[in-house]
Amino acid sequence: MESKEGVKKIILVVDDEPSILKLLNFILSSTYTLVIKTSGIEAIAWLEEGNDPDLIISDLMMPYFDGSTLIKNLKISGFYRNTPVILLSGADDLEDKVKEMPFKIDRFVEKPFNPTILKSHITQLLS
């Protein structure tokens, strides 16, 4: 999906599983510019450089700085309050965990996920 200037929209992908990163790259890179980070710490460092993604896709469970902590910090900062977020997780109780979060998650998708459904969520959030 391209912006008005003809430039691909930027999606920040944060996940520590190489297989998920390869899959996301395969299904999304032809349409979007993907910035791939393997931890919440790497994602924060990239954002602190002044980068501004159009959408964030983050795994919930990662070591050291999980997806919940990442999104909480982004929403509290105010800079990314309106940036849509898709949370990915293999947790059995993902829906309950999302309801307990003190900040808005635009979509949550359970792993393993259907690529067509994920792409549909992305299209909806970026339109």
Side-chain angles (χ1 to χ4, degrees):
M1 177 174 275
E2 294 187 1
S3 66
K4 293 176 185 174
E5 300 83 34
V7 177
K8 289 181 179 180
K9 297 224 177 198
I10 299 169
I11 298 177
L12 172 59
V13 176
V14 188
D15 201 307
D16 62 328
E17 292 181 48
S19 60
I20 296 295
L21 294 174
K22 285 179 184 177
L23 177 60
L24 290 171
N25 189 52
F26 179 76
I27 65 173
L28 300 175
S29 64
S30 65
T31 309
Y32 305 100
T33 297
L34 297 185
V35 175
I36 295 176
K37 302 297 177 187
T38 58
S39 73
I41 295 168
E42 286 182 15
I44 290 288
W46 181 79
L47 292 164
E48 286 178 345
E49 292 172 357
N51 296 298
D52 188 17
D54 297 293
L55 175 87
I56 299 170
I57 298 174
S58 178
D59 186 13
L60 177 62
M61 296 182 289
M62 295 180 286
Y64 311 115
F65 199 91
D66 66 12
S68 177
T69 304
L70 169 66
I71 303 306
K72 177 182 170 186
N73 281 296
L74 296 179
K75 297 298 182 178
I76 288 172
S77 77
F79 293 112
Y80 305 98
R81 182 178 316 140
N82 298 318
T83 302
V85 173
I86 297 176
L87 199 59
L88 298 177
S89 180
D92 293 332
D93 56 349
L94 179 59
E95 188 170 355
D96 292 335
K97 288 183 179 192
V98 168
K99 287 178 184 176
E100 294 171 5
M101 293 180 182
F103 47 85
K104 181 183 173 201
I105 298 294
D106 298 283
R107 299 282 195 286
F108 59 92
V109 177
E110 292 183 31
K111 293 178 186 177
F113 57 87
N114 180 321
T116 304
I117 292 172
L118 179 64
K119 288 169 79 172
S120 174
H121 287 312
I122 293 169
T123 301
Q124 291 170 11
L125 290 170
L126 291 177
S127 59

